[in-house]
Amino acid sequence: MRQFIVASHAHFASGIVESIGLLSGERENVHALSMYVDGNEDLTKEAAAILDGFAADDEVVVCTDLIGGSVNNEFTKIVQTRPNTHLVTNMNLPLLIQLLFVSESTPIDEAIRQIVEADDTKVKYVNDLLGQAELDEF
């Protein structure tokens, strides 16, 4: 089975997982890890608690909020020791929704590479898009 961990500093992870539920339905294989709030101070312990709930052969996709941050750094250690674990950082809602709709039969590493390179998952500066749209009208 494919499991997803959405991990962040503060409540970003739980908020984005709530948005995922609203937009695409609740999913039992999506787990939020909000660190350094609500008594969640030991990242190693909290990450292990979630991972221990998975089968050894489960494929795990971890999405973190910030490259170089403590949450991402901890999962960087984990992906080096846990087989079938993939780490994506600087997450956003379009990225997560696309990841959730990848077929179980599709190799997840290939899908991740395609999704992170796709134009619709990248950050956009709407003012520039509006300016281009106005120019295109002429």
Side-chain angles (χ1 to χ4, degrees):
M1 180 173 188
R2 190 171 290 155
Q3 302 283 350
F4 295 88
I5 299 173
V6 178
S8 72
H9 299 84
H11 294 286
F12 180 51
S14 56
I16 205 164
V17 167
E18 183 179 352
S19 294
I20 289 167
L22 178 72
L23 296 171
S24 68
E26 297 294 324
R27 297 169 180 267
E28 291 183 15
N29 66 332
V30 178
H31 312 272
L33 178 57
S34 298
M35 287 307 307
Y36 312 117
V37 291
D38 304 329
N40 290 343
E41 302 298 325
D42 188 339
L43 178 54
T44 303
K45 176 183 159 195
E46 298 296 330
I50 291 174
L51 291 165
D52 288 346
F54 301 157
D57 61 343
D58 277 351
E59 193 168 44
V60 179
V61 178
V62 181
C63 296
T64 63
D65 57 350
L66 182 65
I67 193 165
S70 59
V71 175
N72 189 74
N73 291 346
E74 180 64 27
F75 280 102
T76 298
K77 295 175 197 172
I78 291 168
V79 299
Q80 294 175 50
T81 59
R82 188 186 189 283
N84 299 316
T85 303
H86 308 270
L87 179 59
V88 181
T89 193
N90 297 340
M91 69 177 159
N92 60 37
L93 190 56
L95 167 89
L96 291 167
I97 289 174
Q98 287 187 45
L99 284 172
L100 291 171
F101 284 100
V102 172
S103 167
E104 288 275 342
S105 64
T106 301
I108 194 63
D109 57 334
E110 292 175 17
I112 290 170
R113 287 183 183 97
Q114 290 175 352
I115 292 168
V116 299
E117 290 300 318
D119 191 50
D120 55 348
T121 58
K122 294 183 180 176
V123 175
K124 309 280 188 285
Y125 181 40
V126 175
N127 292 44
D128 286 347
L129 296 175
L130 291 172
Q132 185 61 45
E134 291 169 2
L135 289 174
D136 290 345
E137 288 180 18
F138 291 106

